[in-house]
Amino acid sequence: MRLSVVIPCLNAASTIGAQLQALAEQRWHEPWEIVVADNGSTDGSPSVVDSYRAKWPHLRLVDASACRGQPFALNAGASAALGEALVFCDADDQVGDGWLSAMGDALREHDFVACSIDFEKLNPPWLQAIFSGHAQRHGRFQKARFAPHYWHAGGGTIGVKKWLWKAVGGFSGALPYQHDTDFCFKVQLRGVEPYFVREAVVHLRCRPTLRGLMRQAANWAEYSVLLYKMYRPAGTADARLWKEFFWQWKALLGSFPRVFLDRAAQARWIWRFGWQLGRLRGSLKHRVPPV
């Protein structure tokens, strides 16, 4: 079975070299390739990729600049891929030892898989603390907080048979954020159960600034509300969600003095604050309660 590693890339010149080097050290006993889908980088990312192409003939760079957004880049890379199975990773992360073979072996037996996440290698301790309870850090899928409570995983950690990627319509361009969660939902709606590959690990790089963390949390939360609107079963009771939302604001504001304890406390508080703002923004925009 031929594998294609698909990497969406936008202005990742400072990090994509490390990801490509990590991939160069992977082994798979059948043909495989790396497809970098450049989404219109202006920082020299294509030049970095070109410098590696001279060493590895199985590395290809495709133009995915016709439409800005990660879903478009993911779909462009997947469309250009030659493999029967696709594995996705991000340009600012690093795959761990044995990642490719573990994902490839799993995709022999399963149509849709996801792997573990490590936060320690690429992040300082104050950043790691935010994600201490992340499900994929502990070897399991994330689970949607809202009905019908589907399983999901980060887009840079999943693998899928190409026929299935086509069957569900790829990644939705209507979702600049949470398109990976939506993709996981669509796969399950088609009747395909996800399989977790605990032995495959991706070292994830977090946003390095408090401002960046707050914006990321707000964007993820806003589009979580949209997913709730898209997938909630008819007749779902929503009244309790507003009560929970206001109670959480009260708890968050009451915990503000603790942000002065250390940088880890600041990062956790800022993340929660951004998430609350995103929930409110999504609720007002899409006219549903904040999940």
Side-chain angles (χ1 to χ4, degrees):
M1 180 182 69
R2 185 180 186 125
L3 285 178
S4 293
V5 179
V6 177
I7 308 176
C9 176
L10 176 63
N11 294 333
S14 63
T15 58
I16 193 168
Q19 178 68 291
L20 292 176
Q21 186 60 50
L23 285 166
E25 296 167 3
Q26 301 290 311
R27 296 292 179 266
W28 172 245
H29 50 274
E30 295 191 38
W32 66 287
E33 64 173 353
I34 304 169
V35 180
V36 178
D38 185 70
N39 198 214
S41 297
T42 58
D43 69 341
S45 294
S47 296
V48 176
V49 177
D50 281 336
S51 70
Y52 283 88
R53 288 171 67 191
K55 307 173 189 175
W56 307 319
H58 61 281
L59 171 60
R60 292 192 289 134
L61 178 66
V62 300
D63 183 6
S65 61
C67 180
R68 184 59 62 90
Q70 192 176 59
F72 183 83
L74 287 165
N75 289 332
S79 295
L82 302 176
E84 302 160 66
L86 312 170
V87 283
F88 298 93
C89 58
D90 290 332
D92 57 349
D93 298 336
Q94 290 180 36
V95 297
D97 294 341
W99 170 83
L100 185 70
S101 60
M103 294 291 277
D105 288 343
L107 282 165
R108 284 183 175 280
E109 305 296 329
H110 306 276
D111 293 325
F112 181 69
V113 305
C115 69
S116 299
I117 291 176
D118 165 71
F119 291 92
E120 281 72 29
K121 182 176 181 178
L122 302 180
N123 303 290
W126 67 270
L127 265 176
Q128 299 171 26
I130 300 175
F131 304 101
S132 60
H134 195 290
Q136 286 182 256
R137 187 177 190 173
H138 298 283
R140 60 181 185 274
F141 282 101
Q142 302 172 64
K143 190 174 185 179
R145 299 183 307 280
F146 49 85
H149 303 292
Y150 290 128
W151 303 105
H152 61 98
T157 70
I158 64 175
V160 63
K161 295 283 180 57
K162 191 167 183 178
W163 72 263
L164 181 56
W165 167 81
K166 289 180 178 179
V168 301
F171 296 90
S172 173
L175 294 165
Y177 304 93
Q178 299 288 14
H179 47 272
D180 44 5
T181 302
D182 173 66
F183 183 84
C184 295
F185 288 2
K186 291 189 296 186
V187 165
Q188 289 165 87
L189 282 171
R190 194 174 173 83
V192 176
E193 285 299 311
Y195 177 79
F196 199 87
V197 191
R198 294 176 64 97
E199 60 271 27
V201 178
V202 168
H203 303 289
L204 189 141
R205 191 187 309 273
C206 300
R207 298 291 187 274
T209 67
L210 295 178
R211 181 182 178 86
L213 286 169
M214 185 175 73
R215 290 181 61 185
Q216 183 182 54
N219 288 331
W220 285 1
E222 176 182 343
Y223 282 88
S224 288
V225 174
L226 177 55
L227 286 180
Y228 167 70
K229 182 178 181 178
M230 292 167 59
Y231 287 97
R232 66 175 176 167
T236 301
D238 294 328
R240 64 175 180 81
L241 294 175
W242 279 111
K243 293 180 181 179
E244 291 177 359
F245 180 69
F246 288 119
W247 180 88
Q248 288 160 354
W249 266 118
K250 182 178 180 181
L252 179 63
L253 296 176
S255 68
F256 180 74
R258 278 179 266 168
V259 305
F260 300 103
L261 294 177
D262 53 46
R263 199 170 186 191
Q266 292 175 19
R268 284 193 297 267
W269 196 91
I270 285 292
W271 180 268
R272 292 173 59 201
F273 180 73
W275 196 271
Q276 287 291 96
L277 286 179
R279 292 172 70 194
L280 179 60
R281 192 166 67 195
S283 179
L284 295 175
K285 184 181 293 186
H286 303 297
R287 300 175 183 270
V288 292
V291 294

